[in-house]
């Protein structure tokens, strides 16, 4: 469409946060967190920001000339709905912890993530132990002015965002809730210095951890070499748990840093719960095949909702009720069901289940019965394809479908 092209002028008009870090030798190091490699320095805060503005324009021009994507600032219109992928054993353990504390899983995760976002211990204000040991803190009596002064003097980066009405809003991203503002960058940072001392002093009085500043030399990217046999075992375990290899390795390293609690949360397998689900599926499927009556639906309620939705989707698919089948599969997907593992286990629990060729034909008919190419439909079809390869025990094809789903651009025709 005319006038819709995003050029340098468009990006320069957007409000990107600046991050300023005091240098040991004096002055400031400035960067835009969204732009990898876009950085500058200056003797004063204003000099560093001015130099970074020049660097930003050059960085954007170079990206546009290369035809590469230019990141935009994170939006503030968030829906509050997320689809979270975790290893299966961790999911099971979280469910157990939530039930033990009389909480829903959603409430538990909200509490834990609120603590994380606010720099609090994971189990803070919860009545159940949901995390491993947090960083130990000396007693309040052990605090002294020297320790406070040392913490206040650490080089915490300043994150400055231009305010709509002028001036800057500034915060320490490493110290959640520590914010201030000012007419100029220097004034805003001076006000934040005062707020930082009060923030740290309050945390010490409450015997809560004070996070260290995140060092600039760490990129989060590690090149790792290992024996092929170990690589195979790790990749297999990640696939069995329905997560990427990178997520699986990150969790293993977090376990190493966090002690035994993560191991307990991830390695315990609720076998009895799985056996109960298998028995429920065996009993309810013949009833559902006859009718979705009150007795069948009451029995279906014994299953987790996302599993129940997937099971009813399979029954609708058998009966060629394609619209209802798609709605059920979508509900299972939105409910967080893992199609590569949990959905495969559901299929294998079904008595007198359809053969592979019958399933493939029905999935093909499903895609034809629901015309359209929305992103939601593409995701559900892709997940059904990975599920189908899972019931055929074909992990290579599963990975191909995952890669196809990640790389596919809107507008391409539906494959398979």
């Amino acid at each position: 469409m005319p006038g819709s092209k995003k050029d340098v002028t468009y990006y320069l008009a957007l409000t990107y946060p600046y991050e300023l870090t005091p240098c040991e030798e004096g002055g400031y190091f400035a960067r835009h967190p969204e732009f990898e490699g876009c950085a500058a320095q200056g003797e004063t805060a204003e000099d560093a920001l001015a130099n970074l503005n020049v660097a930003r324009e050059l960085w954007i021009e170079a990206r546009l000339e290369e035809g590469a994507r230019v990141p935009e600032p994170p939006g503030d219109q968030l829906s509050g709905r997320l689809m979270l992928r975790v290893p299966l054993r961790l999911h099971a353990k979280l469910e157990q912890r939530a039930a033990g504390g009389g909480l829903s899983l959603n409430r538990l995760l909200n509490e834990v993530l609120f603590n994380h976002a606010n720099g609090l211990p994971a189990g803070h204000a919860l009545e159940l132990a949901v995390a491993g040991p947090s960083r130990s803190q000396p007693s309040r009596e052990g605090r002294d002015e020297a320790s406070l002064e040392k913490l206040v003097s650490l080089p915490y980066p300043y994150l400055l965002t231009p305010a709509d009405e002028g001036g800057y809003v500034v915060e320490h991203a490493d110290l959640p809730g520590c914010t201030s503002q000012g007419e100029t960058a220097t004034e805003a940072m001076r006000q934040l210095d005062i707020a930082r001392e009060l923030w740290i002093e309050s945390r010490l009085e409450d015997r809560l951890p004070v996070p260290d500043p995140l060092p600039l030399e760490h990129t989060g990217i590690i090149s790792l070499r290992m024996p092929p046999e170990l690589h195979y075992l790790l990749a297999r375990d990640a696939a069995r748990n329905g997560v990427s290899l990178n997520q699986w390795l990150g969790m293993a390293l977090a376990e190493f840093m966090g002690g035994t609690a993560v191991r307990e949360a991830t390695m315990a397998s609720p076998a009895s719960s799985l056996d109960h689900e298998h028995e429920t599926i065996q009993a309810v499927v013949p009833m559902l095949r006859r009718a979705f009556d009150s007795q069948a639906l009451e029995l279906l309620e014994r299953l987790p909702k996302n599993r129940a939705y997937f099971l009813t989707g399979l029954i609708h698919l058998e009966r060629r009720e394609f619209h209802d089948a798609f709605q059920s599969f979508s509900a299972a997907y939105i409910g967080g069901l893992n199609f590569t593992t949990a959905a495969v286990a559901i299929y294998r629990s079904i008595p007198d289940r359809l053969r592979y060729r019958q399933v493939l034909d029905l999935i093909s008919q499903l895609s034809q019965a629901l015309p359209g190419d929305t992103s939601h439909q593409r995701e559900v079809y892709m997940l059904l394809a990975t599920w189908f390869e899972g019931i055929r025990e074909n992990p290579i094809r599963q990975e191909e479908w995952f890669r196809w789903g990640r790389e596919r651009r809107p507008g391409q025709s539906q494959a398979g």
Side-chain angles (χ1 to χ4, degrees):
M1 294 178 59
S4 63
K5 182 179 179 181
K6 296 182 178 181
D7 55 13
V8 175
T9 304
Y10 168 82
Y11 290 105
L12 292 179
L14 300 178
T15 302
Y16 290 94
Y18 302 89
E19 186 177 277
L20 286 176
T21 304
C23 300
E24 291 184 6
E25 63 277 11
Y28 294 92
F29 174 82
R31 71 186 186 103
H32 285 301
E34 291 86 359
F35 298 161
E36 183 178 356
C38 181
Q41 287 184 277
E43 292 297 323
T44 67
E46 278 73 14
D47 289 341
L49 294 182
N51 294 335
L52 183 58
N53 286 337
V54 175
R56 179 177 76 236
E57 183 171 359
L58 296 174
W59 192 94
I60 292 172
E61 287 180 348
R63 295 281 290 186
L64 293 176
E65 289 176 1
E66 296 169 359
R69 187 181 73 88
V70 177
E72 297 190 19
D76 57 1
Q77 301 298 318
L78 302 179
S79 67
R81 295 181 64 87
L82 295 172
M83 183 61 65
L84 181 65
R85 291 289 300 275
V86 299
L88 302 184
R89 287 171 178 163
L90 179 57
H91 189 171
K93 197 63 178 180
L94 288 169
E95 288 273 13
Q96 289 179 350
R97 292 290 180 91
L103 303 174
S104 68
L105 178 59
N106 189 77
R107 172 67 184 279
L108 174 70
L109 296 184
N110 268 271
E111 296 288 350
V112 172
L113 295 177
F114 174 86
N115 292 336
H116 177 77
N118 287 278
L120 298 168
H124 182 69
L126 285 172
E127 295 181 355
L128 61 162
V130 296
S134 60
R135 192 172 98 182
S136 61
Q137 296 292 313
S139 66
R140 182 173 178 176
E141 292 73 15
R143 307 294 187 184
D144 55 29
E145 292 301 321
S147 62
L148 173 61
E149 183 178 351
K150 180 180 178 180
L151 287 168
V152 169
S153 65
L154 292 176
Y156 290 97
Y158 300 82
L159 191 65
L160 295 102
T161 303
D164 293 337
E165 63 277 9
Y168 294 92
V169 175
V170 61
E171 63 178 311
H172 286 309
D174 296 314
L175 307 179
C178 184
T179 65
S180 190
Q181 57 185 34
E183 292 298 322
T184 66
T186 299
E187 181 185 349
M189 294 163 66
R190 187 182 303 119
Q191 294 297 324
L192 187 61
D193 289 341
I194 298 172
R196 178 173 72 249
E197 182 170 357
L198 295 173
W199 191 97
I200 292 174
E201 186 175 13
S202 175
R203 295 279 285 206
L204 295 180
E205 290 178 353
D206 292 338
R207 300 175 63 182
L208 292 172
V210 177
D212 295 327
L214 193 65
L216 289 173
E217 61 267 22
H218 295 156
T219 64
I221 301 174
I222 301 175
S223 179
L224 181 63
R225 297 292 299 273
M226 65 176 64
E229 295 82 0
L230 177 58
H231 192 167
Y232 167 78
L233 293 174
L234 291 168
R236 183 196 62 185
D237 288 348
R240 290 182 65 235
N241 275 271
V243 293
S244 69
L245 177 59
N246 189 84
Q247 184 180 357
W248 190 245
L249 298 184
M251 195 183 70
L253 297 177
E255 174 187 335
F256 169 73
M257 295 300 298
T260 59
V262 178
R263 177 181 298 277
E264 294 173 358
T266 56
M267 299 309 292
S269 178
S272 60
S273 175
L274 294 178
D275 291 342
H276 174 71
E277 287 185 11
H278 178 82
E279 293 172 0
T280 301
I281 292 172
Q282 289 279 317
V284 76
V285 165
M287 300 168 64
L288 292 173
R289 281 173 172 158
R290 290 193 299 269
F292 283 78
D293 55 25
S294 58
Q295 185 180 3
L297 295 177
E298 182 179 349
L299 185 58
L300 197 63
E301 289 180 357
R302 298 182 184 179
L303 297 174
K305 284 188 177 180
N306 54 10
R307 285 169 162 79
Y309 280 129
F310 189 85
L311 181 61
T312 56
L314 291 179
I315 301 301
H316 285 305
L317 192 66
E318 285 185 14
R319 297 161 65 165
R320 290 175 168 75
E321 298 167 349
F322 296 119
H323 180 78
D324 290 336
F326 185 82
Q327 293 299 320
S328 295
F329 290 139
S330 296
Y333 165 51
I334 294 171
L337 182 72
N338 190 308
F339 276 59
T340 62
T341 50
V344 171
I346 292 171
Y347 169 81
R348 290 176 178 161
S349 297
I350 293 177
D352 301 322
R353 56 182 176 266
L354 297 177
R355 299 303 177 189
Y356 303 144
R357 173 53 60 182
Q358 293 173 294
V359 173
L360 184 60
D361 289 343
L362 288 171
I363 291 177
S364 177
Q365 292 180 49
L366 172 66
S367 65
Q368 296 171 20
L370 296 173
D373 197 27
T374 67
S375 60
H376 178 71
Q377 283 180 309
R378 290 195 300 273
E379 287 178 86
V380 174
Y381 290 140
M382 184 269 289
L383 288 169
L384 285 172
T386 62
W387 165 76
F388 177 73
E389 297 301 338
I391 67 176
R392 295 179 62 200
E393 299 183 349
N394 192 342
I396 296 177
R397 282 286 293 162
Q398 275 190 313
E399 178 57 32
E400 289 176 356
W401 274 103
F402 272 128
R403 186 167 58 251
W404 176 85
R406 288 193 300 266
E407 296 174 354
R408 186 175 179 217
R409 298 176 181 175
Q412 289 181 300
S413 61
Q414 181 72 30

